[in-house]
Amino acid sequence: MGRLQGKVCIVTGGARGQGGAEAELFRNEGAEVIITDVLDELGQRHAAAIGATFLLHDVRSETDWDEVVRQTLERHGRIDVLINNAGIYARGKLLDTSLEQYRHIIEVNQVGVFLGMKAVAPTMIAQHAGSIVNISSIAGLIGAAHAVAYGASKFAVRGMTKSVALELARYGVRANSIHPGMIETDMITDVTGGNAQRHDRMAGAVPVGRPAAADEVAYLALYLASDESRYSTGAEFVIDGGVTAG
Ligand code: NAD
C-alpha cells in the first residue's frame, strides 16, 4: 500500500521543478493529486503523464483558490494535503529593488501561501485532519544576500506556518515548513543568472558538494504529507546539504 493511499493532495507550482517531482511521487504513493500552476501547457502535460489533474491557478488570486478548492471537493470530496510550493525568485539588492518588484515577490511567495492555507482550512477543520506543507527556503532561516524581497517572503512563510500550526492543532490540522538549500530546478538559473561559474561556486560551497535534485526534496514533502509525521507541527525541516550547519 502506498504511503499516501486514499489521500487527496493539492500541489501548487506543480508543473515542473520540486512541485512536479512531489506530484509524481505522491501519485506513485497512491494519492489523488491536483497540480496547479500558471504554466498551462506544461502543467497539462505533466498532469497527463502522471495521472494527476491540472488546474490553471494563480496563487495570488483568492477567487482562483476558491475554484481550486471547489473543483477538488467536487472530484474527490476531501482535501488531505496542501503543498504550498509555487514561488518566484528575483535577485535584488535593497537599493535596486522597486516597491513594485518587492510587492510582486511578496504577493506570490507570501500572500499566495496565506490564501492557500485560508482556502483549505475550513475543509481540513471539518474533516479533523489535514497536513499543510509550506515551501520556504534556507532564505527563511538565514539572510539571503542581494535578495531582500525573496528573503522577506520566505521568513514570512516560516512565521505564518507556526502561527497556523498553533491555531489549527486542536482541529487535527498540521502545518510545517520545508527549507531547501540549492535545488537543481529552473529557479537555480534565476539565482545564478544563468552563469555556469557562479553555479559551480555555489555548488562547491555546499558541504555535501552538490545541489539536490528535485525528488530529494519530494521525499521530505512525502513524509510531512503522510501520517508518518503525525506528531510534527509548526516545525522547520531543513534540506540543504549542510549549508546552514556552519
Ligand atoms: P521552479 O521555478 O521550477 O518552480 C516554481 C513553480 O511555481 C513553477 O512551475 C512556476 O510556474 C510556479 N509559479 C510561479 N508563480 C506562480 C503563481 N503566481 N501561481 C501559481 N504558480 C506559480 O522552481 P522550484 O525550485 O521548483 O521552486 C519551488 C519552491 O521551492 C519555490 O517556493 C521556491 O522559492 C522554493 N525554493 C527553491 C530553491 C531552489 O534552489 N530551487 C531553494 C529554496 C526554496
Side-chain angles (χ1 to χ4, degrees), residues 74-242:
E74 195 176 283
R75 274 166 203 269
H76 302 295
R78 55 186 295 116
I79 301 171
D80 297 289
V81 176
L82 169 63
I83 310 288
N84 266 319
N85 162 80
I88 53 172
Y89 174 91
R91 242 176 116 71
K93 294 184 189 181
L94 175 63
L95 297 182
D96 299 335
T97 302
S98 69
L99 179 57
E100 201 182 356
Q101 290 165 333
Y102 183 87
R103 282 193 169 136
H104 180 57
I105 291 187
I106 296 297
E107 280 283 318
V108 177
N109 293 2
Q110 177 178 337
V111 176
V113 169
F114 161 72
L115 290 176
M117 292 196 290
K118 203 172 167 196
V120 300
T123 303
M124 290 183 171
I125 289 169
Q127 293 169 177
H128 207 83
S131 174
I132 297 169
V133 181
N134 294 328
I135 308 300
S136 175
S137 167
I138 56 171
L141 298 169
I142 58 173
H146 306 160
V148 60
Y150 186 77
S153 71
K154 294 300 188 181
F155 263 79
V157 168
R158 175 176 164 218
M160 273 192 279
T161 305
K162 291 183 190 302
S163 294
V164 169
L166 292 173
E167 187 178 325
L168 300 187
R170 76 191 60 184
Y171 303 110
V173 180
R174 303 183 292 113
N176 292 288
S177 54
I178 291 184
H179 300 263
M182 183 182 187
I183 317 300
E184 202 67 84
T185 64
D186 285 287
M187 189 174 281
I188 277 299
T189 311
D190 300 331
V191 175
T192 61
N195 180 321
Q197 282 170 339
R198 190 181 290 162
H199 177 281
D200 293 349
R201 255 201 323 276
M202 269 180 70
V206 178
V208 303
R210 64 168 180 86
D215 70 333
E216 296 181 278
V217 182
Y219 279 103
L220 176 54
L222 168 63
Y223 169 69
L224 292 173
S226 80
D227 295 336
E228 295 160 17
S229 59
R230 59 191 165 274
Y231 201 62
S232 290
T233 196
E236 301 152 8
F237 290 80
V238 180
I239 176 158
D240 69 351

